[in-house]
Structures are given as C-alpha cells and as structure tokens.
Amino acid sequence: MKYASDDAVSAERSATDSLLAHLSDAAIATISGLKVFERGRTYAPAGAVEVTEEETGRESFIHARIEGTQLYEVEACLEDGELDGECDCPHAAGGAFCKHLVALCLVWRERLRSE
C-alpha cells in the first residue's frame, strides 16, 4: 500500500533530482560563460556565501548574501524548467549570470547533495 507521505517524498526527490541536473557544472557554465564560471568557483568554497533562505519543490529558489568587493544580495531559482537568477552586482545589472550567481548555484548543489 502506498501512502500519501510516500507520494510527497517521491515528488520532493524528483524535484531535487531535476534541480541537480540544472546545477551541473556544464549547465551553469553554459549560462555564465566559462571565464565567469571559473571565477565563481573560487567564491563557493571560500565561505563567502551566506544562505538566508531556500526552498526546494515546485518553486525552487535560494537566496544569499555574498561577500565580494561589497556585500551582494543574490537569488537563484528554477523557473519554468530554466535556471535563472538575480544579483545586485554591477556585472549582473544587464541580466548577466555573474560569478556570485555561479557561487550560489554551486553552494546550492552541495546543500542538495548533503540532504
């Protein structure tokens, strides 16, 4: 017999698996560009990312403050099957996927894997 909680766990696992696919190195580098991706990789393990809010499920997102040359507010989300995000740094002002977004996505991926 299958219980409702089993369905919820299965749906959450499916959402997490889908999100992890969008958070692969290749997927993030495609959005950001290789140079920006490489720069963002240095921020992730350096302790510069402070996650303030996170939701995984139908509407998955993560919000953080990232210490760079200044303190930046950064949010990444999976919306309509696409990874997207916003940062208040100058590079992202034109809609670019900046190194802060890369760092946040890499941290998000590691958080999902550790759950």
Side-chain angles (χ1 to χ4, degrees):
M1 176 179 225
K2 196 170 190 178
Y3 296 97
S5 62
D6 291 340
D7 289 339
V9 169
S10 179
E12 185 175 326
R13 206 172 282 136
S14 176
T16 299
D17 290 345
S18 173
L19 183 52
L20 282 169
H22 286 86
L23 294 172
S24 70
D25 284 356
I28 297 168
T30 297
I31 296 169
S32 66
L34 193 54
K35 278 185 158 181
V36 172
F37 177 78
E38 290 302 326
R39 292 181 69 201
R41 282 174 45 144
T42 64
Y43 275 76
V49 180
E50 177 192 347
V51 174
T52 57
E53 191 176 2
E54 180 179 7
E55 179 71 37
T56 304
R58 228 179 97 222
E59 295 182 22
S60 298
F61 70 90
I62 189 166
H63 184 269
R65 290 183 191 95
I66 298 182
E67 187 71 39
T69 52
Q70 298 179 44
L71 187 62
Y72 297 107
E73 295 290 327
V74 186
E75 182 173 279
C77 63
L78 185 64
E79 190 173 297
D80 299 325
E82 297 291 327
L83 184 60
D84 198 8
E86 294 181 359
C87 179
D88 60 1
C89 77
H91 181 76
F97 207 87
C98 66
K99 63 185 176 187
H100 307 109
L101 279 162
V102 169
L104 180 56
C105 288
L106 295 174
V107 166
W108 196 8
R109 180 177 71 197
E110 290 311 307
R111 291 170 65 95
L112 289 168
R113 285 181 176 165
S114 68
E115 289 180 355

